[in-house]
Amino acid sequence: MVEFSMANAQAFIDEDDELDEEPGEEIESAPPLNVGEEREINSNGLKKKLLKHGHGWETPEFGDEVTVHYVGILHDGTKSVSTRDKGEPFTFKLGQEKVAAGLDRGIVTMRKGEGALFTLPSETAFGSSDSDAVSSNSVVQFEVELVSWITVVDVCKDGGIIKKILEKGEMMGPPGDLDEVLVRYVVRLLDGITVAKTSEHGVEFYVKDGHFCQALPKAIKTMRKGEKVNLLIQPLYASVDRDKDSESGVPSIPPSSILSIDLELVSFKPVINVTGDLGVLKKILKEGEGTLTADEGAAVTIRYTAKLVDGTLLEKRGFDGEDTLQFITDEEQVVAGLDQAVTTMKKGEHAIVTVKPDYGFGNTEVKRDLAMVPPCSTIIFEVEMLEFTKEKDPREMNKHERIQMAQRKKEEGNLLFKNGKYQRAMKKYEKATDCINEDEPFEDDDQKIVKSLRVSCWLNGAATCLKRNYFQEAIKQCSKVLEVESCNVKALYRRAQAFMETADLHLAELDIKKALEIDPQNREVKLIQKNLKQLQAESNKRDAKLYTTMFARLSNENSSAAKRLKVEETESKNEENVGEINMR
């Protein structure tokens, strides 16, 4: 393997100004050092010789607090400074060159426990340490052991909340605004006085609700489960919620105080905004298995309890010997909020689902198994997903199965349409056409059936869109039909209806005219033709009124302009006459 040093890298940079690497940075593609091997890692002449391998793969960054043992050696071999002689390692912030200028760039390449010998050129080999004097004209070496480091994060990027990571957490996290967190903390003033402390169990709250002071939720949203940190909080972010403060019996915090908080994120429960409008929230108590969720059309088996916000039990299934609940999602067999939440659940998942009235029983009073549901009630479901079977994907079916599925979905859509459930009907028509996608070739015997199914679903989809006032989508569905059947009267009729609603009266007239050429006696087409003529007459009246007003305004403006011109001409003549008199 060829060694790629910084000298090589600098040569490339000189030849090509477009490279992003900065001089002085270690090239990531360089092979790792072996014990006893030395390499130049900085364009200014910084060299590193590996003495002992470290642990893991992480390295500190500028701004982190590192703890190191080091021994400074002059060019003649004389030992200059040594933390080992003092018996204690030295802790400092990387980037401030506390030991020697340039040495920090070597330490950022080290892993925990690693030992290395750094050779610094004379112009960089002295630092700002008060106790460690190093000659400014000597090439020195530093034997360094990276004992540990603490990652330091400026949470708000303004120095207001500085987070030192004392113990790293798991991969889970960080929490979001809606999540419920369990934390432990101790709050102290800079003089060490403790002003607030949780119990050993900790305290639970929703991140969006905040707690104690505004710095806590901001910091928590950068943490992972199990992470322990120390927060140094400036007064801007240290103000305490007085109401919560008095309720918890915490002593008052003096104004303009800087706080030090030892904080641990014990755990958190993710909360999912299922509907996107906070109408259905799902708080996960126990993660499910794998990655698959039930999805729409799945056959699910759940057990659950349903309660009002005040704790009144409404119903329960699957407990105390009772049967579990089995249903097909997206079939309106349960309230909409529970239905939608279940489609996001994995097998074995346990969750609290909060359903607002719009996704529950609305503003009506409803009788359930164990109690009445008052109007406009929020329902709290505790749900466990026991089992589910996903609806078979069309890609897993043969062509005959896909045709059968498309026919069944179309019939289900027609039934929903008749019952006024247009949104769900549209989904059925879309699923039907997905089963017989145009990209998939079918045999000649099946092609006629497939074409008829597609046309039927597009037409029914257009009718559904008209009912829901989705006129552009109705036009799109009808246009699909007319691409394969240019003389389809229903498609022309429904597209004309949509054009009339979007005020494209000329296009509507063209579709009606063509439909009547194909079927001159079609009663429905004649009826919308009559409606179209009325709309055109009204449009013409509006246009005529608009033009009349426009012409009147122009006429008035022209008249005013003429009057102004006449006055200006008169004034000009008067001025000329006055001039002639003065000349005389």
Side-chain angles (χ1 to χ4, degrees):
M1 185 178 292
V2 179
E3 185 170 293
F4 189 27
S5 70
M6 281 304 303
N8 301 134
Q10 189 61 47
F12 275 92
I13 291 169
D14 293 339
E15 294 173 5
D16 189 349
D17 292 335
E18 295 182 0
L19 284 178
D20 294 328
E21 289 89 347
E22 296 181 2
E25 298 297 327
E26 185 178 15
I27 299 301
E28 293 182 1
S29 59
L33 285 169
N34 296 317
V35 172
E37 184 180 2
E38 187 175 48
R39 177 183 302 152
E40 186 175 306
I41 62 170
N42 183 286
S43 61
N44 293 328
L46 176 64
K47 295 180 180 179
K48 175 181 178 181
K49 181 178 181 180
L50 184 64
L51 304 179
K52 182 178 70 169
H53 285 295
H55 311 296
W57 55 271
E58 294 179 310
T59 58
E61 298 178 0
F62 289 108
D64 291 350
E65 284 188 3
V66 296
T67 299
V68 301
H69 269 301
Y70 66 87
V71 177
I73 307 168
L74 300 180
H75 71 286
D76 60 2
T78 305
K79 183 170 67 172
S80 174
V81 290
S82 173
T83 60
R84 296 193 183 278
D85 290 346
K86 299 175 183 179
E88 290 184 2
F90 181 50
T91 298
F92 64 99
K93 186 176 181 179
L94 277 178
Q96 295 182 347
E97 300 182 341
K98 289 290 186 180
V99 178
L103 182 61
D104 290 10
R105 290 190 174 274
I107 293 174
V108 296
T109 70
M110 300 180 72
R111 295 173 172 84
K112 183 177 180 179
E114 181 178 319
L117 181 67
F118 294 100
T119 302
L120 283 70
S122 59
E123 62 269 20
T124 65
F126 60 99
S128 60
S129 174
D130 294 333
S131 59
D132 299 332
V134 179
S135 171
S136 61
N137 297 317
S138 302
V139 175
V140 299
Q141 292 181 316
F142 279 91
E143 183 181 313
V144 180
E145 179 188 359
L146 179 56
V147 178
S148 64
W149 78 88
I150 296 174
T151 301
V152 179
V153 180
D154 186 349
V155 173
C156 297
K157 310 301 181 188
D158 60 2
I161 306 173
I162 299 299
K163 181 182 81 167
K164 297 181 181 179
I165 301 176
L166 307 178
E167 188 173 317
K168 293 188 177 182
E170 304 171 12
M171 292 303 294
M172 183 179 178
D177 277 329
L178 296 175
D179 296 346
E180 184 181 56
V181 296
L182 173 63
V183 303
R184 284 194 285 259
Y185 61 78
V186 178
V187 183
R188 298 182 180 88
L189 301 179
L190 286 188
D191 59 10
I193 296 176
T194 298
V195 294
K197 183 178 181 180
T198 63
S199 67
E200 184 61 29
H201 171 72
V203 61
E204 274 189 315
F205 60 92
Y206 290 98
V207 175
K208 64 181 176 61
D209 293 339
H211 183 77
F212 189 75
C213 69
Q214 60 172 307
L216 271 187
K218 291 181 182 294
I220 286 168
K221 287 194 290 184
T222 70
M223 297 174 67
R224 298 186 180 277
K225 179 182 175 183
E227 186 174 319
K228 295 180 181 180
V229 304
N230 174 262
L231 304 176
L232 186 65
I233 302 169
Q234 298 301 317
L236 175 64
Y237 297 101
S239 58
V240 175
D241 187 321
R242 293 299 173 187
D243 293 334
K244 294 179 182 178
D245 188 28
S246 60
E247 288 173 7
S248 60
V250 175
S252 295
I253 307 298
S256 303
S257 295
I258 297 175
L259 301 180
S260 174
I261 302 181
D262 290 328
L263 174 67
E264 178 185 0
L265 177 57
V266 180
S267 63
F268 68 93
K269 297 165 186 171
V271 177
I272 312 299
N273 184 4
V274 175
T275 53
D277 60 0
L278 303 179
V280 180
L281 297 176
K282 183 186 75 167
K283 179 168 69 177
I284 301 174
L285 303 180
K286 177 190 169 188
E287 286 283 348
E289 304 170 10
T291 59
L292 294 179
T293 57
D295 291 342
E296 295 175 357
V300 302
T301 302
I302 65 171
R303 63 176 180 178
Y304 72 97
T305 60
K307 298 179 181 180
L308 297 177
V309 174
D310 65 8
T312 302
L313 185 62
L314 301 173
E315 56 190 4
K316 63 177 182 176
R317 297 287 295 272
F319 297 95
D320 302 324
E322 296 177 346
D323 291 337
T324 56
L325 178 65
Q326 297 179 339
F327 65 97
I328 306 296
T329 60
D330 199 36
E331 294 289 347
E332 295 187 350
Q333 297 176 12
V334 295
V335 294
L338 179 60
D339 199 335
Q340 292 187 45
V342 165
T343 64
T344 70
M345 295 182 71
K346 303 171 186 176
K347 181 180 177 181
E349 184 178 324
H350 189 187
I352 299 290
V353 178
T354 302
V355 178
K356 296 291 180 66
D358 287 347
Y359 295 92
F361 297 105
N363 57 5
T364 58
E365 186 177 51
V366 180
K367 187 179 186 307
R368 305 311 291 170
D369 294 345
L370 303 174
M372 295 292 294
V373 179
C376 302
S377 293
T378 294
I379 312 299
I380 312 296
F381 292 92
E382 184 169 347
V383 187
E384 183 178 358
M385 174 66 75
L386 301 177
E387 190 63 75
F388 66 82
T389 304
K390 292 170 71 74
E391 188 175 44
K392 196 172 182 180
D393 191 289
R395 291 171 295 185
E396 301 171 348
M397 304 177 188
N398 59 41
K399 294 178 181 179
H400 180 65
E401 288 175 327
R402 292 210 304 272
I403 292 172
Q404 286 184 322
M405 174 71 81
Q407 289 172 327
R408 186 167 68 254
K409 293 296 179 185
K410 188 198 85 168
E411 290 166 3
E412 291 172 356
N414 291 347
L415 182 60
L416 290 166
F417 184 91
K418 290 175 183 176
N419 292 329
K421 297 174 181 177
Y422 303 120
Q423 182 177 359
R424 291 187 57 225
M426 189 66 206
K427 285 185 179 180
K428 296 294 184 182
Y429 296 137
E430 289 172 350
K431 286 186 176 181
T433 54
D434 285 344
C435 291
I436 46 175
N437 193 290
E438 294 174 278
D439 297 334
E440 285 288 336
F442 286 86
E443 303 295 333
D444 292 341
D445 294 343
D446 295 329
Q447 192 60 45
K448 187 175 180 180
I449 298 172
V450 169
K451 179 184 174 183
S452 175
L453 272 171
R454 286 175 185 153
V455 167
S456 180
C457 288
W458 288 332
L459 285 172
N460 294 350
T464 303
C465 291
L466 288 171
K467 290 287 188 182
R468 302 180 68 199
N469 296 331
Y470 291 175
F471 303 118
Q472 292 297 339
E473 183 60 28
I475 291 168
K476 182 180 176 181
Q477 295 286 324
C478 291
S479 298
K480 287 181 180 180
V481 175
L482 294 169
E483 286 177 7
V484 295
E485 292 184 1
S486 60
C487 295
N488 189 297
V489 174
K490 276 188 178 180
L492 291 166
Y493 166 72
R494 288 176 183 166
R495 192 168 72 171
Q497 284 181 297
F499 280 141
M500 288 165 65
E501 294 290 348
T502 58
D504 295 313
L505 303 185
H506 176 65
L507 295 175
E509 183 179 16
L510 293 176
D511 278 351
I512 290 171
K513 183 179 178 181
K514 185 172 181 179
L516 289 175
E517 287 175 357
I518 299 166
D519 186 2
Q521 303 305 317
N522 190 297
R523 182 173 173 276
E524 291 177 327
V525 178
K526 284 184 176 182
L527 182 60
I528 66 164
Q529 184 184 44
K530 183 178 178 181
N531 293 340
L532 175 64
K533 288 180 179 179
Q534 184 177 348
L535 289 174
Q536 288 173 326
E538 292 172 357
S539 177
N540 291 337
K541 284 182 182 179
R542 286 195 300 271
D543 290 346
K545 185 177 180 181
L546 177 65
Y547 292 137
T548 300
T549 303
M550 186 185 302
F551 289 139
R553 187 183 299 115
L554 288 172
S555 178
N556 290 336
E557 290 175 356
N558 290 336
S559 176
S560 298
K563 287 179 181 178
R564 284 196 302 272
L565 182 60
K566 194 169 184 180
V567 169
E568 289 170 358
E569 289 175 350
T570 302
E571 290 175 349
S572 178
K573 287 180 180 179
N574 290 338
E575 289 175 358
E576 289 175 1
N577 291 336
V578 170
E580 290 177 1
I581 291 171
N582 291 336
M583 288 295 292
R584 291 173 190 162

